[in-house]
Amino acid sequence: MKVNTVAEQSDTVLKPKTKPKLERPKLYKVILLNDDYTPRDFVIMVLKAVFSMSTEAGYRVMMTAHKLGSCVVVVCAKDIAETKSKEATDLAKEAGFPLMFTTEPEK
Ligand code: TYC
């Protein structure tokens, strides 16, 4: 049986320990826009149905958009933000209201 000598083992290649850098996925804001026609209660209903908000949270978000023109509803991954924004806007469209939700990248 052949026994390796120290000299024969010495050409082992040691890999440098490099940490693979995983990029954090970019986050997106879903933004509720004010308009003059959609009833307040309908806005709250959509926020509850699509974004699982309580009546109180929905009321606060709706009133913020009503007074300031817009309000951030949620911050999440791009695909979820776009899906929820479309779902919410489509619910309003089906009901004949101009209520709009948009998305934009955070920072
Ligand atoms: N401004 C609307 C009204 O007075 C209510 C409303 C609030 C509509 C917030 C949209 O994002 C909105 N009936």
Side-chain angles (χ1 to χ4, degrees):
M1 193 230 239
K2 167 106 170 61
V3 178
N4 284 341
T5 63
V6 172
E8 280 170 327
Q9 295 168 358
S10 67
D11 56 3
T12 307
V13 178
L14 295 174
K15 266 196 212 148
K17 276 193 186 152
T18 52
K19 226 193 223 163
K21 283 240 167 64
L22 294 178
E23 289 300 323
R24 212 187 290 281
K26 207 177 198 178
L27 294 175
Y28 279 69
K29 295 183 276 197
V30 175
I31 300 164
L32 167 67
L33 302 177
N34 186 37
D35 68 71
D36 292 337
Y37 306 102
T38 308
R40 293 181 182 194
D41 283 348
F42 185 85
V43 179
I44 297 169
M45 183 280 285
V46 171
L47 291 170
K48 291 170 76 171
V50 178
F51 300 96
S52 308
M53 283 192 175
S54 65
T55 305
E56 294 70 26
Y59 178 80
R60 280 197 299 270
V61 167
M62 180 279 295
M63 283 309 292
T64 301
H66 178 72
K67 287 178 185 162
L68 304 180
S70 66
C71 182
V72 174
V73 180
V74 70
V75 176
C76 57
K78 186 173 195 256
D79 56 341
I80 296 171
E82 285 171 353
T83 303
K84 297 240 174 213
S85 171
K86 185 173 187 307
E87 256 178 47
T89 301
D90 285 351
L91 268 183
K93 203 186 223 176
E94 279 164 30
F97 297 125
L99 181 65
M100 290 260 292
F101 290 78
T102 60
T103 64
E104 68 173 56
E106 203 182 44
K107 275 161 266 169

